[in-house]
Amino acid sequence: MASIAGSALSFARPVKATSANSLSFSPARKGNAFLRMQPVPMRLAVSCAAQKDTVDKVCEIVRKQLALSDGTEVSGASKFAELGADSLDTVEIVMGLEEEFGISVEESSAQTIATVEDAAELIDKLVNEAK
């Protein structure tokens, strides 16, 4: 017997995955039953508040400041700590960003930066305030 509750699916009998899109199981009766699973279109998309060119520049500065290899993935979601940055590296990244964008980041704001996206959003905000 199979039961479906929310997004969970449980079976009383062993289940065999025949492909990525279908499952088959043997119920108590003779014969086979099939359950087809259809891919669901993505309904949630991540949106960046920062401009793409700002995120790209921040990624470039972070890569340079941390001396990351070309194979290391750096994106808006990248956390400085996960890229190997310590507190001194983060201060140097912020100084590099200040120099590149001609802005001044207050210490309280700098302490809230954990990801590339955080930095890019703060930069866009400070640049727009300076106009």
Side-chain angles (χ1 to χ4, degrees):
M1 167 176 267
S3 63
I4 299 176
S7 61
L9 181 62
S10 62
F11 298 93
R13 301 238 180 235
V15 177
K16 177 184 175 189
T18 57
S19 74
N21 292 326
S22 68
L23 295 174
S24 66
F25 61 95
S26 299
R29 298 188 310 260
K30 192 175 184 179
N32 287 328
F34 295 96
L35 173 65
R36 297 262 183 231
M37 297 174 64
Q38 300 284 329
V40 177
M42 183 181 231
R43 296 175 192 205
L44 176 67
V46 176
S47 172
C48 290
Q51 296 178 18
K52 183 182 177 341
D53 60 327
T54 305
V55 173
D56 292 343
K57 282 183 182 178
V58 173
C59 287
E60 181 182 314
I61 291 167
V62 168
R63 181 179 301 284
K64 179 182 169 188
Q65 200 66 46
L66 298 177
L68 299 174
S69 66
D70 291 336
T72 304
E73 176 76 23
V74 180
S75 67
S78 298
K79 294 182 179 180
F80 295 157
E82 290 175 357
L83 294 172
D86 59 19
S87 57
L88 180 58
D89 291 324
T90 303
V91 169
E92 291 175 349
I93 289 168
V94 171
M95 289 171 53
L97 296 172
E98 288 177 326
E99 186 177 320
E100 175 71 25
F101 292 96
I103 58 172
S104 179
V105 178
E106 293 181 23
E107 186 177 342
S108 60
S109 295
Q111 291 176 352
T112 65
I113 299 172
T115 66
V116 168
E117 179 66 26
D118 293 342
E121 287 177 4
L122 179 61
I123 289 165
D124 282 348
K125 177 183 164 200
L126 294 173
V127 167
N128 286 333
E129 286 175 0
K131 289 182 180 180

